[in-house]
């Protein structure tokens, strides 16, 4: 479990082909066949650098077309496996998954004949609110600009920032001014 920044973007247009091509190339460069363990050292350093650069550029340009949906939030608790789980409808192959040095990148191409939308609709309440939030945000992204675009790709960026934050740690932090707030020059 980790504290992490999660970014979810939906990109459309001719950029879809470039993103899918890059993601497939990066995924093919993975140097292990172990499918249930993921770490940056399973990719060559050049691929990790390219993936992290892509993630940084997507975040920097998240409010400009062809990015048609962009949301970012902090998740102080979730395990990394939920991101792939909710991007994998039944009888579909797993999303593209690449590990850079800073980011895990997951990609899912649309349209998919409504598979992801149905998968998410069947989710029901989850054990933890963070999981419910991720599912809702995926649902929003799937339908964003659907009446305008015919092809798109969902990209999830997961940037692990540290260990999980417990309820006790959160409660303690509420009584302390953080340095980023106290060191503001007027």
């Amino acid at each position: 479990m980790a504290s992490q920044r999660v970014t979810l973007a939906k990109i459309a247009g001719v950029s879809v082909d470039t993103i899918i091509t890059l993601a497939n190339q990066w995924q093919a460069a993975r140097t292990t066949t172990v499918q249930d363990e993921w770490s940056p050292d399973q990719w060559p350093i050049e691929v990790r650098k390219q993936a992290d650069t892509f993630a940084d550029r997507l975040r920097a340009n998240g409010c400009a077309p062809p990015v048609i949906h962009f949301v970012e939030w902090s998740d102080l608790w979730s395990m990394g496996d939920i991101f792939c789980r909710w991007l994998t409808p039944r009888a579909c192959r797993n999303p593209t998954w690449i590990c850079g040095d800073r980011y895990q990148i997951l990609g899912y191409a649309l349209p998919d004949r409504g598979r992801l939308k149905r998968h998410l609709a069947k989710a029901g309440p989850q054990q933890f609110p963070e999981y419910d939030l991720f599912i809702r945000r995926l649902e929003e992204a799937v339908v964003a600009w659907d009446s305008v675009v015919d092809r798109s790709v969902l990209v999830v960026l997961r940037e692990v920032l540290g260990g999980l934050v417990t309820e006790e740690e959160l409660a303690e932090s509420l009584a302390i001014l953080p340095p980023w707030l106290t060191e503001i020059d007027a």
Side-chain angles (χ1 to χ4, degrees):
M1 295 187 252
S3 58
Q4 57 224 321
R5 177 183 299 128
V6 181
T7 306
L8 171 59
K10 183 176 184 179
I11 303 115
V14 297
S15 299
V16 172
D17 293 326
T18 299
I19 292 168
I20 289 172
T21 298
L22 284 171
N24 287 338
Q25 289 172 355
W26 294 337
Q27 190 167 13
R30 188 171 178 221
T31 59
T32 184
T33 57
V34 179
Q35 292 302 311
D36 57 351
E37 294 178 19
W38 299 83
S39 69
D41 64 352
Q42 297 172 347
W43 278 268
I45 192 165
E46 190 57 37
V47 170
R48 296 191 316 255
K49 285 181 184 179
Q50 291 172 2
D52 285 343
T53 297
F54 166 81
D56 284 333
R57 288 181 180 177
L58 175 56
R59 290 185 62 228
N61 293 282
C63 295
V67 179
I68 57 174
H69 183 82
F70 184 89
V71 63
E72 205 168 60
W73 68 99
S74 65
D75 179 326
L76 302 178
W77 189 85
S78 294
M79 292 178 52
D81 66 333
I82 70 144
F83 303 102
C84 187
R85 179 184 324 151
W86 291 111
L87 275 175
T88 310
R90 184 181 301 259
C92 288
R93 62 179 225 173
N94 287 346
T96 304
W97 189 340
I98 299 105
C99 291
D101 288 322
R102 288 183 43 225
Y103 296 96
Q104 289 179 358
I105 304 171
L106 290 95
Y108 187 89
L110 294 170
D112 67 349
R113 296 188 290 190
R115 288 183 178 126
L116 183 57
K117 187 175 181 180
R118 287 191 301 276
H119 174 64
L120 298 169
K122 293 178 187 175
Q126 298 298 298
Q127 183 178 6
F128 305 108
E130 294 85 356
Y131 295 6
D132 290 320
L133 177 63
F134 182 60
I135 292 166
R136 280 194 314 273
R137 296 228 163 121
L138 279 175
E139 288 175 318
E140 293 167 357
V142 167
V143 299
W145 291 90
D146 252 4
S147 62
V148 178
V149 301
D150 58 345
R151 291 184 56 228
S152 60
V153 62
L154 298 179
V155 176
V156 174
L157 308 175
R158 176 179 183 243
E159 182 181 14
V160 175
L161 304 170
L164 73 97
V165 175
T166 66
E167 289 181 11
E168 294 79 19
E169 291 170 324
L170 178 63
E172 287 174 15
S173 76
L174 302 178
I176 301 167
L177 279 175
W180 63 264
L181 187 56
T182 59
E183 297 170 359
I184 296 175
D185 292 334

